[in-house]
Amino acid sequence: MPSERRLHPWSLLFSLAGQARQFAVPLLLALFVGSRGDNMELWALPILVPYTIGVVVRFISFRYAFGDDELVIRSGLIFRNERHIPYARIQNLDAIQNALHRLLGVVDVRVDTGSGADVDAKLSVVTWPAYEEMRQRVLVGRAGVAAAPAGEGAPETPAGRTLLHLGPRDLSLLGIIENRAAVLVAAVIGLLWETRMFESAFERVFGDGSPAPRAARRFLAGWFRDGVISWSTVGMALAALVALIAVLRIFSMIWAMVRLHDFRLTRIDDDLRTEYGLLTRVSATIPLRRVQTVTIRSGLIHRWFDRASLGVETAGGDGAERGSKRRESLAPIVGVDQLPSLLHEVLPELDLSSIDWQPPARRAFRREAFVRTAFAAIVAALSSWLIGKWAIAFGAVYIAWAVFAAWKYTSHLRWAVIDGAVLFESGWLSRHLSIARFSKIQAVRWHQTPFDRRHRMARLSVDTAGAGDAGHRVDIPYLSIGAAESLHGRLAQAAAWTVFKW
């Protein structure tokens, strides 16, 4: 094709860097061994050379072109592949830029139509104007208008409207809520503890003979060996725990501000566009018509500050995440007062102002309490060999907590059907509300366990094209048999009579 284009020459650098990261450990090991005079670094050549040749061949053979109504991608030197991706079928067009990308003026582009477990095309790397032209052609193609031929100029970009902008205060609060740094910091502390570097660091900061490591050893020895712990040891342990939590929250705040720096949610015609990141800048586009399920999450800290988070699932969304990086929420944190207007932008056809919520079956609490207390009793019995007579007190407290948690869980369990959608809310410490439109429902099923049949109950699940395995879905437990049959019939009929819009 005369309008074919190559990737940017910097693609060679980024591709080689990506391959080097995969083989960093064996290469460093080979170089370390070779530094002892055995010339083992020569073994690195058979690893590097084939992959270097592969990167060069891919760069030489990779071509892409903008057709009138489709993106054409050709690759392969011996085994040639040609893909035609209509602009109207492109669901997500994501751009990822780290610091080096921005320094060199290039960008990684990922094209996803939601058709499989991976993205449909990865263009690494192209210039920013090339990405903008691709994005503009996709926007025009979705509107059903033929794009301008290559060489005649790209169509104009529609004006965007900012729906949400997160400042440093919101991002700091999000870091406190998410606490994503906890896993990384805990792993580092564990490594330092095992290598005795943790104790050395304490001695350097507080001087020789620092009491902190000895206090930790006394606490563990007193608990597991002697069964007696002094109040001073307990106080030091609590102080250390509070300090650790504070450090983790501070790191999480910094990480959130770096990861989601200058977060913006913009609406451009019928598309939602998110942009964020300080070191790695990400730009992602989500067509509104591809939104399958909307989920609102409000944890305990969310509610303290009148905040919530809003996420959406799109067809092929899981695949996009596996093929690239985990997609951030549509609104990682948003004020409760801003939530209705934001929901109206995503679900304009639904009236969420008045909802007739329905509770679970009357025996739901009794069933949930039985399961939780039985588990608590088993755990308390097994713990008797570790804590001895204290297992009785532990079991009593655990069982009381299990009954309380069962009551709170079932009291916050509810569902509703409105004109055009079904809603399901669950959770009490961390609450989740999922909304699935009739036009996106692909399957409705209800099933019974032996315990459900005994209590004349059932469970009803709604599947959409973007339903993930780990996310919150419309999966309603503890329905009476009559309510389950009625709801199943209503949703199945609504889904059958509603035109599915892909």
Side-chain angles (χ1 to χ4, degrees):
M1 298 178 63
S3 60
E4 281 186 336
R5 309 181 185 187
R6 292 178 180 268
L7 298 175
H8 194 278
W10 286 120
S11 175
L12 291 169
L13 172 65
F14 287 96
S15 298
L16 288 174
Q19 296 295 342
R21 283 196 299 267
Q22 298 180 16
F23 295 96
V25 174
L27 287 176
L28 289 175
L29 180 61
L31 293 174
F32 175 75
V33 176
S35 64
R36 300 186 177 185
D38 298 330
N39 294 323
M40 291 294 293
E41 65 270 15
L42 297 178
W43 289 98
L45 294 179
I47 299 176
L48 290 176
V49 172
Y51 282 96
T52 303
I53 295 175
V55 167
V56 174
V57 169
R58 179 183 179 275
F59 172 76
I60 294 175
S61 63
F62 194 96
R63 300 285 193 279
Y64 70 96
F66 298 122
D68 291 340
D69 55 2
E70 63 182 4
L71 174 67
V72 182
I73 297 177
R74 294 176 177 175
S75 61
L77 193 61
I78 300 176
F79 300 97
R80 297 183 178 178
N81 300 302
E82 183 172 313
R83 284 168 288 177
H84 294 252
I85 306 175
Y87 298 136
R89 293 289 184 267
I90 295 177
Q91 174 179 314
N92 299 317
L93 190 66
D94 299 345
I96 300 176
Q97 280 187 308
N98 58 32
L100 185 57
H101 281 98
R102 294 201 298 275
L103 179 63
L104 300 176
V106 294
V107 60
D108 275 351
V109 180
R110 292 182 168 93
V111 182
D112 179 27
T113 63
S115 60
D118 202 351
V119 293
D120 294 271
K122 299 178 183 179
L123 282 70
S124 176
V125 292
V126 298
T127 61
W128 187 260
Y131 163 71
E132 285 292 340
E133 181 179 359
M134 187 184 306
R135 187 174 64 86
Q136 293 160 7
R137 289 177 180 275
V138 169
L139 292 175
V140 174
R142 287 173 182 163
V145 182
E152 295 186 8
E156 294 183 359
T157 304
R161 180 163 50 91
T162 300
L163 304 180
L164 179 67
H165 177 240
L166 299 182
R169 182 176 181 274
D170 290 322
L171 295 179
S172 300
L173 182 58
L174 179 64
I176 295 175
I177 295 172
E178 288 185 334
N179 198 22
R180 286 195 180 184
V183 177
L184 177 61
V185 174
V188 172
I189 291 177
L191 178 62
L192 295 178
W193 186 278
E194 290 295 329
T195 57
R196 301 184 65 84
M197 295 176 62
F198 195 75
E199 186 172 351
S200 300
F202 265 101
E203 292 178 354
R204 290 181 181 179
V205 175
F206 300 103
D208 296 337
S210 173
R214 295 199 305 273
R217 284 195 290 267
R218 286 199 305 270
F219 180 83
L220 296 176
W223 178 271
F224 290 103
R225 186 186 63 191
D226 305 328
V228 178
I229 307 175
S230 64
W231 286 109
S232 60
T233 304
V234 172
M236 292 187 65
L238 291 177
L241 179 61
V242 171
L244 177 60
I245 293 174
V247 170
L248 293 179
R249 298 295 180 179
I250 292 173
F251 273 102
S252 296
M253 292 169 58
I254 296 173
W255 176 241
M257 287 190 287
V258 171
R259 190 181 81 252
L260 298 176
H261 171 73
D262 194 28
F263 182 97
R264 291 182 182 273
L265 173 63
T266 308
R267 178 164 180 173
I268 304 176
D269 289 340
D270 290 331
D271 290 340
L272 296 175
R273 184 177 183 182
T274 57
E275 296 177 285
Y276 55 88
L278 179 61
L279 300 179
T280 298
R281 191 72 181 169
V282 178
S283 175
T285 303
I286 302 175
L288 281 173
R289 71 174 186 273
R290 297 292 177 87
V291 173
Q292 306 290 310
T293 306
V294 176
T295 300
I296 303 170
R297 175 180 175 270
S298 57
L300 186 60
I301 305 180
H302 280 101
R303 297 194 294 275
W304 287 349
F305 295 94
D306 293 327
R307 296 292 192 275
S309 66
L310 178 66
V312 299
E313 288 182 341
T314 60
D318 289 343
E321 290 173 9
R322 287 192 295 269
S324 55
K325 296 178 68 175
R326 179 184 179 274
R327 187 183 297 278
E328 292 291 342
S329 300
L330 189 67
I333 186 169
V334 59
V336 175
D337 56 337
Q338 297 175 279
L339 194 57
S341 60
L342 192 56
L343 281 173
H344 181 71
E345 295 286 347
V346 181
L347 305 170
E349 74 280 11
L350 300 183
D351 181 13
L352 302 174
S353 58
S354 59
I355 303 174
D356 183 17
W357 290 105
Q358 302 296 322
R362 288 184 299 174
R363 297 182 179 179
F365 165 68
R366 188 167 68 179
R367 286 191 58 191
E368 185 70 17
F370 175 78
V371 173
R372 291 176 182 254
T373 53
F375 179 78
I378 294 173
V379 172
L382 294 176
S383 64
S384 61
W385 68 272
L386 182 62
I387 59 177
K389 61 182 181 181
W390 290 101
I392 299 176
F394 170 72
V397 173
Y398 196 176
I399 291 174
W401 171 258
V403 174
F404 175 77
W407 170 62
K408 296 293 289 184
Y409 171 75
T410 53
S411 62
H412 287 86
L413 198 64
R414 57 183 185 171
W415 57 275
V417 178
I418 62 175
D419 186 15
V422 57
L423 296 80
F424 172 56
E425 187 176 42
S426 65
W428 60 285
L429 285 178
S430 180
R431 299 176 186 173
H432 293 79
L433 169 62
S434 290
I435 307 172
R437 290 180 287 182
F438 293 158
S439 58
K440 303 302 181 182
I441 294 177
Q442 291 192 320
V444 182
R445 69 181 187 273
W446 69 281
H447 58 278
Q448 291 179 296
T449 65
F451 298 102
D452 287 329
R453 290 195 295 271
R454 178 183 176 184
H455 295 276
R456 294 189 57 77
M457 295 183 186
R459 189 184 194 99
L460 186 137
S461 302
V462 175
D463 288 335
T464 61
D469 295 333
H472 188 264
R473 301 185 299 163
V474 179
D475 188 10
I476 312 173
Y478 300 135
L479 288 172
S480 65
I481 189 67
E485 291 177 347
S486 175
L487 182 58
H488 177 270
R490 184 176 179 181
L491 294 181
Q493 183 181 17
W497 285 93
T498 303
V499 178
F500 184 82
K501 299 178 182 180
W502 187 255

